[in-house]
Amino acid sequence: MRYAQLVIGPAGSGKSTYCSTVVQHAAGCNKTIEVVNLDPAAEFFTYDPMADVRELIHVDDAMEDVDLKFGPNGGLIFCMEYLVENHEWLREKLGDGDDDYILFDCPGQIELYTHMTTIKHLVELLQNWNFQICAVFLIDAQFMVDGAKFISGTMSALSVMVNLELPHVNILSKMDLLSKSAKNKLDNFLDPDPHYLIGEMESSSKWNLKYRTLTESIGRIIEDYSLVRFFPLNIKDHECISDLLLTIDNIIQYGEEADVRTRDFDPPEPEDEDCD
């Protein structure tokens, strides 16, 4: 069995930073976690990937092609479709190891996860290659500390969960960058009450009052599904990282097939009896 995290989320949500942090944390625990870069438009990351999709195709290839003439978004989608069509390249890069633990650092094109099937097909390929996968969906915490933005982000996370049909962990990233006042509001969003958030939105603008019925319907969807919860991630807090990885490892059953290590002990010697 092989294990994987599919690291996804909007552009700028901290996916590559998350991958680098996890790799460094694992190394400190004497574990090996590899990273595969699946973002054909990536410009910089601090980890050393075991495979890089840019060796197969780069977003510039699609944008500069005189026949395709794609823009940045269309070019990125084309690259991901090209990767799926040429999946043997990825399979060769991944090899045939056992007990591998790999992070797939995905592009920040949100429609790839919310309603398109490209990433879902990639997931099916990985599962056929004996991977146990957990989707890790990151959203920047700095944009999630008011009701309207939080409900929007929650709906995005829910859409991804429904589309990919994978075990799922949602993360509020960049917690270390939040102000003290924003952190004080955080409890309202980690275990959200849609009624409270909607009430907060209603008092904030005329637009929210006008579309109150629509907002309430969205709130009921979030409450009825009751699937979306967020884990706060502070990359400077090692205990926070350990707790998060423990949750993900339990989901993908990482380490459960490891042999139990036993140690033989010599039987205790009988105590000498006093002779009268």
Side-chain angles (χ1 to χ4, degrees), residues 41-250:
E43 296 181 357
F44 174 78
F45 41 73
T46 57
Y47 56 79
D48 184 19
M50 68 177 296
D52 189 341
V53 70
R54 296 175 301 177
E55 297 176 5
L56 175 68
I57 187 169
H58 195 286
V59 68
D60 290 344
D61 298 333
M63 293 174 60
E64 295 171 1
D65 189 285
V66 294
D67 295 322
L68 297 175
K69 297 181 181 179
F70 282 124
N73 292 345
L76 197 150
I77 292 171
F78 173 83
C79 290
M80 297 309 294
E81 291 174 343
Y82 186 85
L83 170 64
V84 172
E85 291 175 0
N86 296 271
H87 57 266
E88 286 301 322
W89 173 88
L90 179 60
R91 184 168 189 176
E92 182 179 338
K93 288 291 184 178
L94 296 178
D96 298 319
D98 197 19
D99 288 331
D100 290 340
Y101 196 146
I102 300 175
L103 310 180
F104 291 91
D105 187 5
C106 297
Q109 197 79 357
I110 193 65
E111 58 262 38
L112 287 169
Y113 319 111
T114 55
H115 60 275
M116 297 184 69
T117 60
T118 308
I119 298 297
K120 188 173 183 179
H121 290 158
L122 177 62
V123 167
E124 292 170 353
L125 287 169
L126 293 174
Q127 289 172 332
N128 290 336
W129 300 341
N130 209 28
F131 276 97
Q132 290 267 80
I133 308 172
C134 176
V136 178
F137 184 76
L138 281 78
I139 293 185
D140 190 336
Q142 298 178 91
F143 300 102
M144 296 288 283
V145 288
D146 74 65
K149 293 177 182 177
F150 187 86
I151 287 179
S152 176
T154 300
M155 288 299 294
S156 295
L158 181 58
S159 179
V160 173
M161 294 169 73
V162 171
N163 187 41
L164 294 185
E165 298 179 324
L166 282 174
H168 211 92
V169 172
N170 299 299
I171 295 176
L172 289 180
S173 63
K174 305 185 182 181
M175 290 292 300
D176 52 302
L177 302 181
L178 286 182
S179 65
K180 289 184 178 180
S181 60
K183 288 180 180 178
N184 291 334
K185 296 180 180 179
L186 196 62
D187 288 342
N188 296 326
F189 301 101
L190 294 180
D191 189 12
D193 179 358
H195 299 292
Y196 169 81
L197 298 178
I198 291 170
E200 185 183 63
M201 292 169 57
E202 287 176 359
S203 61
S204 61
S205 72
K206 292 182 179 180
W207 193 96
N208 290 330
L209 290 172
K210 181 178 180 179
Y211 293 98
R212 174 180 176 179
T213 302
L214 174 61
T215 306
E216 288 178 344
S217 298
I218 294 173
R220 282 195 296 271
I221 291 174
I222 295 172
E223 187 174 35
D224 291 346
Y225 274 85
S226 191
L227 292 173
V228 182
R229 290 293 181 272
F230 289 94
F231 291 85
L233 175 62
N234 181 347
I235 61 172
K236 297 180 180 179
D237 185 339
H238 292 288
E239 185 176 350
C240 176
I241 299 169
S242 295
D243 291 343
L244 176 61
L245 288 179
L246 179 61
T247 298
I248 296 173
D249 290 349
N250 286 335

